[in-house]
Amino acid sequence: MGNALDQKSIKNLAVRSSQLLDLYAHGRTTLRYRQLAVGILMTVATGYISPVVGALQAQSINNISNLSSKVQLNSIRATNNGLMLTVNANPQIRIQREDNPDRLIVDLQNTNLAQQLHQSTLPMNRLGIKQVRVAQFQNNPAIARLVFDLDSSDPNSKVAWQGQYIAATSTLLLTPSNQTAQAIPINPSVNPNLSLPRPINTPSSPISSAPAAIERLSFSSTGQLIVSANQPVSYRANVDPTSGTYNLTVANARISPNLQRPSLAANSPIERIRLTQVGNSVEIGIKTIAGWQVRETQRLNNQQIQLQVSLNSVVPNNQTPLPNNNPVNQTVPNTGDRRRGVIVVDAGHGGRDPGAVANGIYEKNVVLPISLNLGQALQAMGYTVYYTRTNDVEIDLEPRVALAERIRADVFVSVHANALAPGNSGISGIETYHSRNSTVGKELASYVHSQIISATGARDRSVRGAGFYVIAKTSMPAILVETGFVTNPTEARNLSNPNYQKQMADAIARGIDQFMRVRGR
Ligand SMILES: [Zn+2]
């Protein structure tokens, strides 16, 4: 599980900050969100989060060559109100604007891009931005450059942007400041002492034209879903993880009385499309069947919204994926019979989060092969398997749960390895956890636990109830298997042995299969 308490609290903060983004994006004021917001405020008060506005860092921009440690940019994700970057330190930011074509250049000083981000493109279609291109602009000194290709027909494209670094979650948030930016030259060599654009204190002009009419929805056999309007539209998108519905909110729009919509075949991956007039906006909810997802693709013109409906594992050809950008989309479902059952296999930790570390072993590296073996064994039994990760990537706890909910999994199994403080290296064995008040979770845990004990001969440290996030927040029967102690030399050796990993995986699969059969599947 990883024994560092501070790691857990960082995880919690990561979950909270993404909720906060949601809060700002939708202005929701439900009790749950208010509580989360209060959580954030309290955290700020105790000094865990130190927000720093990028503009304040401009003075030291000439000292960058003296810095020895470099910043690494690991991932970029579009949110409803901006961009969320994961970085290992706070980079100095320089934001510049260029006209014709209109672009915003965001340079992260002394920053290297993670390999998978090189030359990548992220579709935005919101906040006045068509897309964001990412590149290593310069190596020595290193500059990572984000180019925002602006949609000049959208008034939001005139707004200046700012950066805010949150140390506790290693997150850099880029958001519009809602102030108009001055146009300044982009070539740094022309003006090496360039500071950030000074915002002019005028709010961006609201869209004042007559509402656009949503006239047509079309859905092609290749999965392309196009929303067409009679004039340019701006929109934002979000996914409701519990219902699996993809929601578009089109600003300043109405539903045309002559709306044309596709007839959906019985075997269509789209279950339902619902249009609702909400004030001056049109909300379009697209619900897919389990295992399918909706993604934005690059708009060809601003009167249309282009979406791609695809299997979770499939990336459409007409856009460049950002690896690690959206981990839950990296899941690899097989084409097994859904009626046999859908299992989510969750390999713990990953990426910068190693989990427990002892005897030269990283938890993240031993639980991954066990999980992949487990998935294969389940597939061979006819189950449909989704993985939360299939390689060494960092994933928050929340999307792991969201995946299981979205695809309406029958069983969630999280694979971990245990650790104890120094002086306890003699302790070894298997612990299988279920959510404290879940009888059915306990039943699943018992089947799996006995299979592991009899297959491996490891010490029986019993089935236990606990409140771990992934088993507490999932609505289906869920377990977390502690496959052994990396702090015990013998068990550490076993856990890194491919034969033992396979033995462990097969035993977990047999336990799940037993559980499913008893429940009539
Ligand atoms: Zn763990």
Side-chain angles (χ1 to χ4, degrees):
M1 197 56 198
N3 53 358
L5 246 184
D6 54 340
Q7 219 166 51
K8 261 178 203 160
S9 56
I10 285 172
K11 282 282 184 210
N12 287 336
L13 282 172
V15 169
R16 282 182 189 164
S17 70
S18 69
Q19 297 278 15
L20 188 69
L21 284 175
D22 235 26
L23 175 78
Y24 284 145
H26 305 298
R28 287 189 196 167
T29 52
T30 62
L31 186 58
R32 179 163 164 263
Y33 279 75
R34 253 192 239 134
Q35 284 168 337
L36 284 162
V38 169
I40 286 269
L41 292 175
M42 286 171 63
T43 319
V44 170
T46 53
Y48 276 95
I49 295 180
S50 53
V52 179
V53 175
L56 299 177
Q57 301 159 41
Q59 297 95 333
S60 53
I61 211 153
N62 292 324
N63 299 330
I64 51 168
S65 51
N66 301 333
L67 297 178
S68 53
S69 65
K70 278 187 179 168
V71 181
Q72 169 132 331
L73 172 57
N74 291 310
S75 75
I76 303 177
R77 192 161 70 194
T79 66
N80 276 329
N81 63 343
L83 285 173
M84 190 156 89
L85 284 60
T86 51
V87 282
N88 61 352
N90 186 11
Q92 292 162 343
I93 309 167
R94 179 151 60 186
I95 302 176
Q96 304 156 84
R97 183 172 286 267
E98 192 195 34
D99 298 327
N100 212 3
D102 291 353
R103 300 185 300 175
L104 214 56
I105 314 289
V106 179
D107 282 343
L108 308 184
Q109 307 290 337
N110 207 38
T111 301
N112 280 320
L113 284 181
Q115 188 59 42
Q116 72 271 11
L117 292 180
H118 280 269
Q119 305 289 341
S120 51
T121 303
L122 178 66
M124 285 288 286
N125 304 321
R126 64 176 78 100
L127 304 168
I129 301 172
K130 291 191 272 195
Q131 61 177 10
V132 174
R133 288 176 287 132
V134 187
Q136 189 72 49
F137 175 65
Q138 192 175 296
N139 282 320
N140 195 15
I143 297 177
R145 171 166 285 188
L146 313 183
V147 178
F148 296 10
D149 290 318
L150 300 173
D151 175 1
S152 40
S153 69
D154 183 339
N156 289 318
S157 68
K158 312 293 185 244
V159 175
W161 281 60
Q162 63 189 10
Q164 183 183 31
Y165 178 67
I166 299 170
T169 55
S170 301
T171 304
L172 177 65
L173 302 176
L174 296 176
T175 51
S177 64
N178 283 328
Q179 291 177 324
T180 309
Q182 279 180 323
I184 51 170
I186 65 153
N187 187 346
S189 62
V190 172
N191 187 355
N193 294 321
L194 206 62
S195 63
L196 281 157
R198 214 175 278 280
I200 298 168
N201 199 7
T202 51
S204 66
S205 54
I207 301 168
S208 55
S209 55
I214 306 291
E215 294 186 319
R216 185 160 183 264
L217 270 67
S218 65
F219 185 53
S220 75
S221 57
T222 57
Q224 195 174 45
L225 179 64
I226 298 178
V227 179
S228 305
N230 66 343
Q231 66 185 54
V233 286
S234 64
Y235 69 98
R236 57 165 209 248
N238 73 297
V239 179
D240 178 353
T242 42
S243 66
T245 305
Y246 186 91
N247 294 306
L248 288 175
T249 304
V250 186
N252 194 37
R254 62 186 174 82
I255 304 166
S256 164
N258 303 317
L259 175 74
Q260 295 173 38
R261 45 189 307 164
S263 55
L264 299 171
N267 62 352
S268 170
I270 298 181
E271 196 174 301
R272 186 179 69 227
I273 302 176
R274 178 177 287 164
L275 284 84
T276 318
Q277 185 79 46
V278 181
N280 292 328
S281 301
V282 173
E283 291 189 355
I284 305 174
I286 302 151
K287 185 161 170 37
T288 52
I289 61 172
W292 292 73
Q293 64 172 352
V294 181
R295 301 169 68 107
E296 291 177 71
T297 59
Q298 184 56 45
R299 297 170 88 171
L300 298 179
N301 68 66
N302 53 18
Q303 286 183 225
Q304 292 189 329
I305 299 168
Q306 308 228 6
L307 305 170
Q308 179 71 39
V309 181
S310 58
L311 267 174
N312 281 318
S313 61
V314 178
V315 175
N317 294 327
N318 58 347
Q319 72 175 91
T320 311
L322 276 184
N324 305 346
N325 174 42
N326 192 353
V328 295
N329 290 335
Q330 295 185 335
T331 56
V332 183
N334 71 349
T335 49
D337 183 356
R338 190 183 162 96
R339 283 166 301 182
R340 186 85 178 86
V342 178
I343 318 288
V344 169
V345 175
D346 174 47
H349 311 278
R352 288 174 308 171
D353 170 14
V357 178
N359 291 308
I361 294 198
Y362 284 18
E363 177 184 354
K364 66 170 185 175
N365 292 339
V366 295
V367 298
L368 182 59
I370 294 173
S371 299
L372 295 176
N373 277 316
L374 170 58
Q376 277 173 21
L378 288 166
Q379 286 177 8
M381 292 168 169
Y383 294 100
T384 301
V385 174
Y386 288 77
Y387 301 97
T388 54
R389 68 178 179 101
T390 55
N391 49 23
D392 187 19
V393 291
E394 184 174 2
I395 306 174
D396 280 340
L397 299 177
E398 194 183 35
R400 296 174 194 250
V401 172
L403 166 71
E405 297 298 329
R406 182 160 55 84
I407 62 166
R408 289 180 245 134
D410 297 297
V411 161
F412 181 94
V413 53
S414 191
V415 181
H416 284 256
N418 228 329
L420 284 169
N424 298 293
S425 64
I427 293 176
S428 69
I430 311 294
E431 295 170 356
T432 307
Y433 288 88
H434 58 87
S435 185
R436 269 193 203 95
N437 299 317
S438 171
T439 322
V440 66
K442 186 175 183 178
E443 193 187 322
L444 169 63
S446 305
Y447 283 120
V448 169
H449 190 77
S450 340
Q451 286 292 342
I452 298 175
I453 299 302
S454 63
T456 62
R459 280 197 50 193
D460 182 349
R461 286 181 54 87
S462 83
V463 168
R464 300 164 181 232
F468 299 133
Y469 187 93
V470 292
I471 54 175
K473 298 289 183 184
T474 35
S475 61
M476 69 288 308
I479 54 172
L480 187 150
V481 183
E482 294 283 8
T483 54
F485 285 79
V486 296
T487 43
N488 177 268
T490 310
E491 215 149 47
R493 210 165 37 243
N494 285 341
L495 284 169
S496 50
N497 177 338
N499 293 329
Y500 189 85
Q501 291 168 351
K502 174 120 185 20
Q503 219 174 13
M504 177 72 65
D506 288 344
I508 298 171
R510 280 196 301 275
I512 292 171
D513 188 47
Q514 254 182 323
F515 170 81
M516 292 297 282
R517 284 172 191 280
V518 167
R519 295 180 69 77
R521 296 296 279 268

